[in-house]
Amino acid sequence: FLSPSFSDRNVIIFELVQARQLTVQMMQNPQILAALQERLDGLVGSPSGYMESLPKVVKRRVNALKNLQVKCAHIEAKFYEEVHELERKYAALYQPLFDKRSDIVKAAYEPTEEECEWKADEEEELTEEMKEKAKVEEEKKDEEKEDPKGVPEFWLTVFKNVDLLSDMVQEHDEPILKQLQDVKVKFSDPGQPMSFSLEFNFEPNEFFTNTLLTKTYKMRSEPDENDPFSFDGPEIMGCTGCTIDWTKGKNITLKTIKKKQKHKGRGTVRTVTKTVPNDSFFNFFTPPDVPESGDMDEDTEAVLAADFEIGHFIRERIVPRAVLYFTGEAIEDDDDDVSTHHSLCNGLIPVLDL
């Protein structure tokens, strides 16, 4: 005879299989699906009703819990302010290394043999025969062309290797970006409102007279009084670019188009020349203004959101790890980070994105 527990288990399994089959049949019925979707649409944005069902005395205690949550948000804001101070402190420690990187890129400094030694990964290691062959090929190439200075087109290559930036770089931008010598991040001084600036240093060129182009991002690290629970770390509130002093006829952010116009009365046709905006990386330095009221149309909001993302990415990723974007290694790491982030989120492990 079957034991009662075993029999009960069989009954439960049988009922679950039946329920599953019924669910599958229902999900294949378009009328049931449509009714379910309509029901779900009605629930979006509406409260569950649970809070309303609570006794008044419990609601009061929940309000006390929410007030505690607001205090937590203010403490979190202070945490991020201290993180910003740490970033400023360590930026000063990184800077001598970044300055040396810049000197090597623009051929102001030639690294020593010891500095150029790099132990390849196991999979990159070559046999002696292959090394010798590669050395001969290199020497042959060096004889055919003059010795390049520094690391040519370093920052242009970095930008073109990153999807977020390569979409901005047009063909007519490339001759100018070849003149880009360094990109730096500068943090606001102690006691000043939280902000950071991106500095683009160019060698003298035929396109504009500036040797330095800047973009400053203003940040805020405090909960919104009207919506304190939305606080999720510092947010960029606005940005300002700089004026580019273009050489006459070299402004690639504008283009001239010719348009034919027909006179309404006489019927004659004339050609009108018009100057219109042109797609260019250098539009990055003329972002749209954020009105004091904060009211913006959807297009402006979208442009600024993309701009903030780009500025944050240059600060957090590009400047600290430029050589790895030049070689392409950081792009693989970014893909790994994205998959790790998704797996963490799927595993319900909170991820802080500073």
Side-chain angles (χ1 to χ4, degrees), residues 172-230:
H172 46 256
D173 292 319
E174 294 190 16
I176 311 179
L177 290 173
K178 287 178 182 179
Q179 317 299 320
L180 181 57
Q181 294 181 318
D182 199 12
V183 181
K184 297 179 180 178
V185 178
K186 292 289 179 69
F187 293 95
S188 52
D189 293 329
Q192 295 298 312
M194 189 184 290
S195 68
F196 69 92
S197 296
L198 302 176
E199 297 185 351
F200 296 74
N201 294 272
F202 289 83
E203 61 181 319
N205 61 79
E206 61 179 296
F207 297 93
F208 44 71
T209 58
N210 316 62
T211 55
L212 176 67
L213 300 181
T214 61
K215 183 82 171 277
T216 300
Y217 290 87
K218 298 170 187 173
M219 302 170 69
R220 182 180 72 178
S221 181
E222 58 185 41
D224 186 335
E225 287 184 11
N226 298 321
D227 187 16
F229 302 133
S230 67

Side-chain angles (χ1 to χ4, degrees), residues 118-277:
W118 180 258
K119 179 168 172 49
D121 294 337
E122 286 182 17
E123 59 191 39
E124 294 175 359
E125 287 181 0
L126 305 172
T127 63
E128 287 301 320
E129 184 182 348
M130 291 173 71
K131 283 181 184 176
E132 189 60 35
K133 189 176 178 182
K135 186 178 179 183
V136 170
E137 287 292 325
E138 271 187 35
E139 288 173 354
K140 191 176 177 182
K141 285 181 184 176
D142 289 344
E143 287 173 8
E144 290 173 357
K145 60 182 181 181
E146 59 182 83
D147 184 29
K149 304 296 181 187
V151 184
E153 303 179 16
F154 179 81
W155 288 101
L156 172 59
T157 304
V158 169
F159 291 174
K160 289 176 75 174
N161 277 347
V162 178
D163 289 343
L164 191 64
L165 302 178
S166 64
D167 292 341
M168 299 166 60
V169 177
Q170 309 299 315
E171 192 175 339
H172 46 256
D173 292 319
E174 294 190 16
I176 311 179
L177 290 173
K178 287 178 182 179
Q179 317 299 320
L180 181 57
Q181 294 181 318
D182 199 12
V183 181
K184 297 179 180 178
V185 178
K186 292 289 179 69
F187 293 95
S188 52
D189 293 329
Q192 295 298 312
M194 189 184 290
S195 68
F196 69 92
S197 296
L198 302 176
E199 297 185 351
F200 296 74
N201 294 272
F202 289 83
E203 61 181 319
N205 61 79
E206 61 179 296
F207 297 93
F208 44 71
T209 58
N210 316 62
T211 55
L212 176 67
L213 300 181
T214 61
K215 183 82 171 277
T216 300
Y217 290 87
K218 298 170 187 173
M219 302 170 69
R220 182 180 72 178
S221 181
E222 58 185 41
D224 186 335
E225 287 184 11
N226 298 321
D227 187 16
F229 302 133
S230 67
F231 181 72
D232 191 28
E235 55 184 336
I236 296 174
M237 301 304 295
C239 57
T240 52
C242 65
T243 301
I244 302 178
D245 300 318
W246 294 100
T247 305
K248 188 176 180 182
K250 297 288 186 179
N251 187 348
I252 58 173
T253 64
L254 299 173
K255 63 181 177 182
T256 303
I257 59 171
K258 291 182 179 179
K259 198 174 181 182
K260 289 185 177 180
Q261 282 187 348
K262 189 174 182 180
H263 194 280
K264 288 182 180 179
R266 295 193 294 269
T268 55
V269 177
R270 63 171 183 166
T271 301
V272 177
T273 302
K274 203 174 179 185
T275 301
V276 296

Side-chain angles (χ1 to χ4, degrees), residues 306-339:
D307 188 298
F308 295 170
E309 183 183 359
I310 290 163
H312 182 74
F313 192 83
I314 292 174
R315 164 195 156 175
E316 290 286 315
R317 296 281 193 166
I318 300 296
V319 172
R321 311 175 73 202
V323 67
L324 300 181
Y325 284 99
F326 178 81
T327 62
E329 292 163 86
I331 299 160
E332 297 170 12
D333 291 345
D334 283 348
D335 291 340
D336 291 341
D337 286 350
V338 169
S339 61

Side-chain angles (χ1 to χ4, degrees), residues 7 13 46 52 96 99 115 134 152 160 165 230 282 286 328 333 348:
S7 176
I13 291 171
S46 62
E52 286 76 5
D99 288 343
E115 289 173 322
K160 289 176 75 174
L165 302 178
S230 67
F282 292 89
T286 52
D333 291 345
L348 301 181

